[in-house]
Amino acid sequence: GEDVEQSLFLSVREGDSSVINCTYTDSSSTYLYWYKQEPGAGLQLLTYIFSNMDMKQDQRLTVLLNKKDKHLSLRIADTQTGDSAIYFCAESINYGQNFVFGPGTRLSVLP
Amino acid sequence: EAGVAQSPRYKIIEKRQSVAFWCNPISGHATLYWYQQILGQGPKLLIQFQNNGVVDDSQLPKDRFSAERLKGVDSTLKIQPAKLEDSAVYLCASSLDQGGPTDTQYFGPGTRLTVL
């Protein structure tokens, strides 16, 4: 079955870069996603990457995909206190269906 | 544009009782999703509707959970009877199109259920 794993906690200093890592098991994943969840709020899609790409950049966010190792990462440049949240990695099998989420990484940004 | 609305925001019940959650998606969105998020875990897809038809309910515990989306707009999720392990946040999401990979899901704030 599908499985998505993430480290549960990450602390960084304001202004530093954050790197959140994710591994997945299903090689048939077609899209991989990063979502952000702030306290008491629903999930917000940050970015996604198609499985035939290895990098995608969107302002302060950089997504790297290593298909061979089934490893996905999200880099946040110049991390701000407003970036403190839980970040979920998710994979989609079967072109946008069968979403599977990881357990989430809680990012704490220290002043 | 109004977001995805859910009610109630919080619900406390005793085990073996019944409970229902309501979701109103963004106007015009064809696809609606219900997720269960247990504390400390990522959301787990329970059911996905496209208009008023079910696309995927493979992870819905059908012996106690049911969901409907009459008229292809709002939706209700019911648990009958509830168990302690059903304590979770129930998230509703909607997307504009047919649930394709780049069809962004917009999430509601969720309903936090506590089963005592």
Side-chain angles (χ1 to χ4, degrees):
Chain A
E2 311 91 13
D3 197 15
V4 178
E5 295 185 355
Q6 301 176 238
S7 53
L8 297 183
F9 301 97
L10 176 65
S11 290
V12 300
R13 294 232 170 254
E14 192 173 13
D16 288 350
S17 292
S18 308
V19 179
I20 303 171
N21 295 302
C22 168
T23 58
Y24 59 97
T25 56
D26 198 316
S27 58
S28 61
S29 295
T30 53
Y31 280 84
L32 294 135
Y33 305 81
W34 285 103
Y35 283 82
K36 178 183 181 182
Q37 186 176 37
E38 294 179 274
L43 278 74
Q44 173 195 358
L45 177 65
L46 288 177
T47 188
Y48 63 88
I49 188 166
F50 187 43
S51 58
N52 70 350
M53 298 168 63
D54 52 18
M55 186 180 100
K56 181 178 180 182
Q57 187 152 4
D58 184 0
Q59 299 182 341
R60 292 191 297 123
L61 305 179
T62 303
V63 179
L64 296 177
L65 175 60
N66 181 327
K67 276 185 63 179
K68 174 175 167 289
D69 295 337
K70 299 191 186 71
H71 182 267
L72 182 74
S73 68
L74 174 70
R75 179 178 180 269
I76 306 173
D78 187 26
T79 312
Q80 302 298 307
T81 54
D83 295 324
S84 293
I86 301 176
Y87 290 81
F88 291 93
C89 170
E91 62 176 354
S92 168
I93 301 119
N94 195 25
Y95 289 96
Q97 297 181 12
N98 308 113
F99 277 86
V100 177
F101 283 83
T105 298
R106 183 179 293 275
L107 174 64
S108 299
V109 182
L110 309 174
Chain B
E1 170 180 86
V4 176
Q6 291 187 246
S7 68
R9 292 294 311 274
Y10 305 91
K11 188 74 177 178
I12 301 173
I13 61 172
E14 294 187 349
K15 60 183 179 184
R16 291 188 288 273
Q17 286 187 319
S18 301
V19 65
F21 313 126
W22 175 81
C23 172
N24 190 17
I26 294 173
S27 177
H29 278 198
T31 306
L32 185 147
Y33 311 77
W34 282 103
Y35 290 88
Q36 179 193 58
Q37 186 177 18
I38 292 172
L39 185 66
Q41 298 181 18
K44 181 181 85 170
L45 180 67
L46 293 176
I47 188 166
Q48 178 179 343
F49 291 95
Q50 187 171 303
N51 297 310
N52 61 351
V54 176
V55 173
D56 180 7
D57 64 355
S58 57
Q59 297 198 88
L60 186 74
K62 298 181 184 63
D63 57 334
R64 297 184 300 107
F65 286 65
S66 63
E68 59 182 11
R69 191 185 184 199
L70 300 175
K71 302 179 183 177
V73 182
D74 55 354
S75 176
T76 55
L77 175 70
K78 296 179 182 176
I79 308 175
Q80 180 179 7
K83 293 185 175 181
L84 296 176
E85 59 261 36
D86 299 331
S87 294
V89 176
Y90 290 84
L91 296 167
C92 180
S94 70
S95 63
L96 177 64
D97 206 352
Q98 306 300 312
T102 60
D103 189 23
T104 301
Q105 294 185 42
Y106 295 87
F107 283 80
T111 296
R112 182 178 296 276
L113 173 67
T114 302
V115 182
L116 303 176

